[in-house]
Coordinates of all heavy atoms in Angstrom, one line a residue:
S1 N 0.8 -1.1 0.0 CA 0.1 -0.1 -0.1 C 0.9 1.3 0.1 O 2.0 1.2 0.6 CB -1.0 0.0 1.2 OG -1.8 -1.1 1.2
N2 N 0.4 2.3 -0.7 CA 1.1 3.5 -0.6 C 0.1 4.6 -0.3 O -1.2 4.4 -0.3 CB 1.9 3.8 -1.9 CG 1.0 4.0 -3.2 OD1 -0.1 4.5 -3.1 ND2 1.4 3.4 -4.3
A3 N 0.5 5.8 -0.1 CA -0.3 6.9 0.5 C -1.4 7.2 -0.6 O -2.6 7.6 -0.2 CB 0.5 8.3 0.6
W4 N -1.3 7.1 -1.9 CA -2.1 7.4 -2.9 C -3.4 6.5 -2.9 O -4.5 6.8 -2.8 CB -1.6 7.3 -4.3 CG -2.5 7.6 -5.4 CD1 -2.4 6.9 -6.7 CD2 -3.5 8.5 -5.7 NE1 -3.3 7.4 -7.5 CE2 -4.0 8.5 -7.0 CE3 -4.0 9.5 -4.8 CZ2 -5.0 9.2 -7.5 CZ3 -5.1 10.3 -5.3 CH2 -5.6 10.1 -6.7
Y5 N -3.1 5.1 -2.6 CA -4.2 4.1 -2.4 C -4.9 4.4 -1.1 O -6.2 4.3 -1.1 CB -3.6 2.7 -2.6 CG -3.4 2.2 -3.9 CD1 -2.2 2.5 -4.7 CD2 -4.2 1.4 -4.5 CE1 -2.0 2.2 -5.8 CE2 -4.1 0.9 -5.8 CZ -3.0 1.3 -6.5 OH -2.7 0.8 -7.7
V6 N -4.2 4.6 -0.2 CA -4.8 5.0 1.1 C -5.7 6.1 1.1 O -6.8 6.1 1.7 CB -3.7 5.2 2.3 CG1 -4.3 5.6 3.5 CG2 -2.9 3.8 2.6
S7 N -5.3 7.2 0.4 CA -6.2 8.4 0.3 C -7.4 8.1 -0.5 O -8.5 8.4 -0.1 CB -5.4 9.5 -0.4 OG -4.4 9.9 0.5
A8 N -7.2 7.4 -1.5 CA -8.4 6.9 -2.4 C -9.4 6.1 -1.7 O -10.6 6.3 -1.7 CB -7.9 6.3 -3.8
N9 N -8.9 5.1 -0.9 CA -9.7 4.3 -0.2 C -10.4 5.0 1.1 O -11.6 4.7 1.5 CB -9.0 3.0 0.4 CG -8.9 2.1 -0.8 OD1 -9.6 2.1 -1.9 ND2 -7.9 1.0 -0.6
S10 N -9.7 5.9 1.6 CA -10.4 6.8 2.6 C -11.6 7.6 2.1 O -12.6 7.7 2.9 CB -9.3 7.8 3.1 OG -9.8 8.6 4.1
V11 N -11.5 8.0 0.9 CA -12.6 8.8 0.3 C -13.8 7.7 0.1 O -14.9 8.0 0.5 CB -12.3 9.3 -1.1 CG1 -13.5 9.7 -2.0 CG2 -11.3 10.5 -0.9
L12 N -13.5 6.6 -0.5 CA -14.6 5.5 -0.6 C -15.1 5.1 0.7 O -16.4 4.9 0.7 CB -13.9 4.3 -1.4 CG -13.7 4.5 -2.9 CD1 -13.1 3.1 -3.5 CD2 -14.9 4.9 -3.7
S13 N -14.4 5.0 1.7 CA -14.9 4.6 3.0 C -15.8 5.7 3.6 O -16.9 5.4 4.0 CB -13.7 4.5 4.1 OG -14.2 4.2 5.3
E14 N -15.5 7.0 3.3 CA -16.4 8.1 3.8 C -17.6 8.1 3.0 O -18.7 8.2 3.7 CB -15.6 9.3 3.5 CG -14.4 9.6 4.5 CD -13.7 10.9 4.0 OE1 -14.2 11.7 3.2 OE2 -12.5 11.1 4.4
V15 N -17.5 7.9 1.7 CA -18.8 7.8 1.0 C -19.7 6.8 1.3 O -20.9 6.7 1.5 CB -18.4 8.0 -0.5 CG1 -19.8 7.9 -1.4 CG2 -17.7 9.2 -1.0
S16 N -19.0 5.6 1.4 CA -19.8 4.2 1.8 C -20.4 4.5 3.1 O -21.8 4.1 3.2 CB -18.8 3.0 1.9 OG -18.2 2.9 0.7
D17 N -19.7 5.0 4.1 CA -20.3 5.2 5.5 C -21.6 6.2 5.4 O -22.5 6.0 6.1 CB -19.2 5.8 6.3 CG -19.7 5.8 7.8 OD1 -20.1 4.8 8.3 OD2 -19.5 6.8 8.4
A18 N -21.5 7.2 4.6 CA -22.5 8.2 4.5 C -23.7 7.6 3.9 O -24.9 8.0 4.1 CB -22.1 9.3 3.6
H19 N -23.7 6.5 3.1 CA -24.8 5.8 2.6 C -25.2 4.5 3.4 O -26.1 3.7 3.0 CB -24.6 5.4 1.1 CG -24.6 6.6 0.2 ND1 -25.8 7.2 -0.2 CD2 -23.5 7.4 -0.2 CE1 -25.4 8.3 -1.0 NE2 -24.1 8.5 -0.9
G20 N -24.5 4.3 4.5 CA -24.7 3.0 5.3 C -24.4 1.7 4.6 O -24.9 0.7 4.8
I21 N -23.3 1.8 3.8 CA -22.8 0.8 3.0 C -21.6 0.2 3.6 O -20.7 1.0 4.1 CB -22.7 1.1 1.5 CG1 -23.8 1.5 0.9 CG2 -21.8 0.1 0.8 CD1 -23.6 2.1 -0.5
M22 N -21.4 -1.1 3.8 CA -20.3 -1.7 4.3 C -19.0 -1.7 3.4 O -19.2 -1.5 2.2 CB -20.5 -3.3 4.4 CG -21.5 -3.6 5.4 SD -22.2 -5.4 5.4 CE -23.5 -5.1 4.2
F23 N -17.9 -1.4 4.0 CA -16.7 -1.1 3.3 C -15.5 -1.9 3.7 O -15.3 -2.2 5.0 CB -16.3 0.4 3.5 CG -15.1 0.8 2.7 CD1 -15.2 1.0 1.3 CD2 -13.9 0.9 3.3 CE1 -14.0 1.3 0.6 CE2 -12.6 1.3 2.7 CZ -12.8 1.5 1.2
I24 N -14.7 -2.5 2.8 CA -13.5 -3.3 3.0 C -12.4 -2.6 2.5 O -12.4 -2.2 1.2 CB -13.6 -4.7 2.5 CG1 -14.9 -5.5 3.2 CG2 -12.3 -5.4 2.6 CD1 -15.1 -6.9 2.5
D25 N -11.3 -2.3 3.3 CA -10.3 -1.5 2.8 C -9.1 -2.4 2.6 O -8.3 -2.8 3.5 CB -9.8 -0.4 3.8 CG -8.9 0.5 3.3 OD1 -8.2 0.3 2.2 OD2 -8.4 1.4 4.1
P26 N -8.8 -2.7 1.3 CA -7.6 -3.6 1.1 C -6.3 -3.1 1.5 O -5.3 -3.8 1.8 CB -7.7 -3.8 -0.5 CG -9.0 -3.6 -0.8 CD -9.6 -2.6 0.1
T27 N -6.2 -1.7 1.6 CA -4.9 -1.0 2.0 C -4.6 -1.4 3.4 O -3.5 -1.5 3.8 CB -4.8 0.4 1.7 OG1 -5.8 1.0 2.5 CG2 -4.9 0.8 0.3
S28 N -5.6 -1.5 4.3 CA -5.4 -1.9 5.7 C -5.1 -3.3 5.9 O -4.6 -3.7 7.0 CB -6.6 -1.5 6.5 OG -7.7 -2.4 6.2
L29 N -5.3 -4.1 4.8 CA -5.0 -5.6 5.0 C -3.6 -6.0 4.5 O -3.2 -6.9 4.6 CB -6.1 -6.3 4.1 CG -7.6 -6.2 4.6 CD1 -8.6 -6.9 3.6 CD2 -7.8 -6.6 6.1
D30 N -3.2 -5.0 3.6 CA -1.7 -5.2 3.1 C -1.7 -6.6 2.7 O -0.7 -7.4 2.9 CB -0.7 -4.9 4.2 CG 0.6 -4.6 3.6 OD1 0.7 -4.2 2.5 OD2 1.6 -4.9 4.3
L31 N -2.4 -6.8 1.6 CA -2.6 -8.2 1.0 C -1.4 -8.7 0.1 O -1.0 -9.9 0.1 CB -3.8 -8.3 0.2 CG -5.1 -8.1 1.0 CD1 -6.3 -8.2 0.1 CD2 -5.2 -9.1 2.1
F32 N -0.8 -7.8 -0.8 CA 0.0 -8.2 -1.7 C 1.5 -7.6 -1.7 O 2.1 -7.5 -2.7 CB -0.6 -8.0 -3.2 CG -1.9 -8.8 -3.3 CD1 -3.1 -8.0 -3.3 CD2 -1.8 -10.1 -3.5 CE1 -4.2 -8.7 -3.4 CE2 -3.0 -10.8 -3.6 CZ -4.3 -10.2 -3.5
S33 N 2.0 -7.3 -0.5 CA 3.2 -6.9 -0.4 C 4.2 -8.0 0.1 O 3.7 -9.1 0.4 CB 3.3 -5.9 0.7 OG 3.0 -6.4 2.0
G34 N 5.5 -7.7 0.2 CA 6.4 -8.7 0.6 C 6.4 -10.0 -0.3 O 6.3 -10.0 -1.5
E35 N 6.4 -11.1 0.5 CA 6.3 -12.5 -0.2 C 5.1 -12.6 -1.1 O 5.1 -13.4 -1.9 CB 6.4 -13.5 0.9 CG 6.7 -14.9 0.4 CD 7.0 -15.9 1.4 OE1 7.9 -15.6 2.2 OE2 6.2 -16.8 1.5

């Protein structure tokens, strides 16, 4: 994850929350780094 992805997902999280929609943030899971 980098700051650009984190910022973009932060926006999606805010908008999802405003509509009562569940949100999963892949940047917080750090799925595809390292090994």
